């Protein structure tokens, strides 16, 4: 059902400073930057491995764009640090339904828009041993296609 760690999400106060740290310390480069209004973040994706087949792994650096966003609340409570882990799947709707059937609260009724055209769903951290968990279907790796697609059922 899950094929890889898609990314680790890291909350930061200053995205440009965080990007500079990861570049200078590890040599990671930004492959994508965007503002996701719905999620309330400005974000950068830094590719850690080199595959181009939808199976890559990233660090996702997250800076809040408004005070009432999940990342802003996280920073207030915890300061900067690891915010979530994201597992990759080729069918995010099917995977979310399967995990939901196992008693984990799925926070998104239907997949939402994520980084780089992906489709994403979050799971409640209190049902995941304290780890905010995201399920990700990369763009183009689909059984199900766009965010609202549900025809893929293979999990
Ligand atoms: N990791 C682990 N636990 C977390 C957490 C996190 N990132 N964020 C909140 N919690 C915990 C809190 O510590 C709190 O625990 P206690 O009740 O023991 O104090 C509990 O969850 C509720 O926290 P809260 O601050 O009252 O609740 P929020 O209103 O912040 O909601 C959550 C928490 C997970 C439902 C919300 O953050 C959410 O919906 N997240 C999903 C969306 C998201 O995070 N988007 C940004 C990333 C976008 C992307 O990756 O593309
Ligand atoms: Co994420």
């Amino acid at each position: 059902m899950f094929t890889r760690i898609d990314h680790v999400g890291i909350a930061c106060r200053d995205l440009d400073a965080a990007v500079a740290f990861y570049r200078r310390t590890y040599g990671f480069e930004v492959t994508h930057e965007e503002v996701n209004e719905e999620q309330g973040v400005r974000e950068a994706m830094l590719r850690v491995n080199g595959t181009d087949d939808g199976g890559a792994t990233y660090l996702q650096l997250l800076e809040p764009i408004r005070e009432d966003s999940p990342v802003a609340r996280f920073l207030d409570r915890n300061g900067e640090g690891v915010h979530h882990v994201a597992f990759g799947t080729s069918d995010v709707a099917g995977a979310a339904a399967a995990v939901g059937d196992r008693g984990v609260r799925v926070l998104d009724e239907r997949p939402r828009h994520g980084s780089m055209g992906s489709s994403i769903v979050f799971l409640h951290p209190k049902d995941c041993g304290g780890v905010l968990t995201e399920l990700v279907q990369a763009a183009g790796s689909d059984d199900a296609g766009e965010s609202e697609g549900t025809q893929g059922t293979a999990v």
Side-chain angles (χ1 to χ4, degrees):
M1 181 159 67
F2 299 106
T3 51
R4 67 191 186 284
I5 291 176
D6 184 276
H7 64 266
V8 175
I10 296 170
C12 58
R13 293 203 165 88
D14 180 339
L15 185 64
D16 299 330
V19 164
F21 170 80
Y22 281 96
R23 180 181 292 126
R24 121 179 131 248
T25 310
Y26 306 108
F28 297 148
E29 295 292 344
V30 174
T31 54
H32 179 80
E33 253 191 68
E34 73 182 74
V35 171
N36 187 327
E37 291 286 346
E38 185 180 37
Q39 297 294 335
V41 294
R42 186 163 84 92
E43 57 164 88
M45 298 295 274
L46 282 59
R47 193 155 72 176
V48 176
N49 73 353
T51 65
D52 277 316
D53 57 0
T57 296
Y58 299 86
L59 293 179
Q60 181 184 41
L61 305 181
L62 301 156
E63 178 194 279
I65 56 170
R66 49 172 191 269
E67 274 313 306
D68 65 342
S69 61
V71 174
R73 280 195 296 273
F74 179 90
L75 284 168
D76 283 349
R77 288 174 94 125
N78 307 290
E80 295 182 310
V82 174
H83 179 256
H84 65 271
V85 173
F87 299 128
T89 174
S90 60
D91 174 14
V92 71
V99 170
D101 284 348
R102 293 166 194 164
V104 171
R105 273 170 290 170
V106 178
L107 293 170
D108 302 291
E109 218 169 286
R110 59 173 51 176
R112 297 183 186 280
H113 163 72
S115 251
M116 301 183 294
S118 63
S119 298
I120 61 174
V121 161
F122 283 91
L123 308 176
H124 202 290
K126 292 293 170 189
D127 296 343
C128 301
V131 179
L132 176 60
T133 304
E134 177 184 347
L135 311 183
V136 183
Q137 179 179 327
S141 73
D142 49 327
D143 295 340
E146 273 305 299
S147 298
E148 310 212 342
T150 52
Q151 74 258 43
T153 50
V155 293

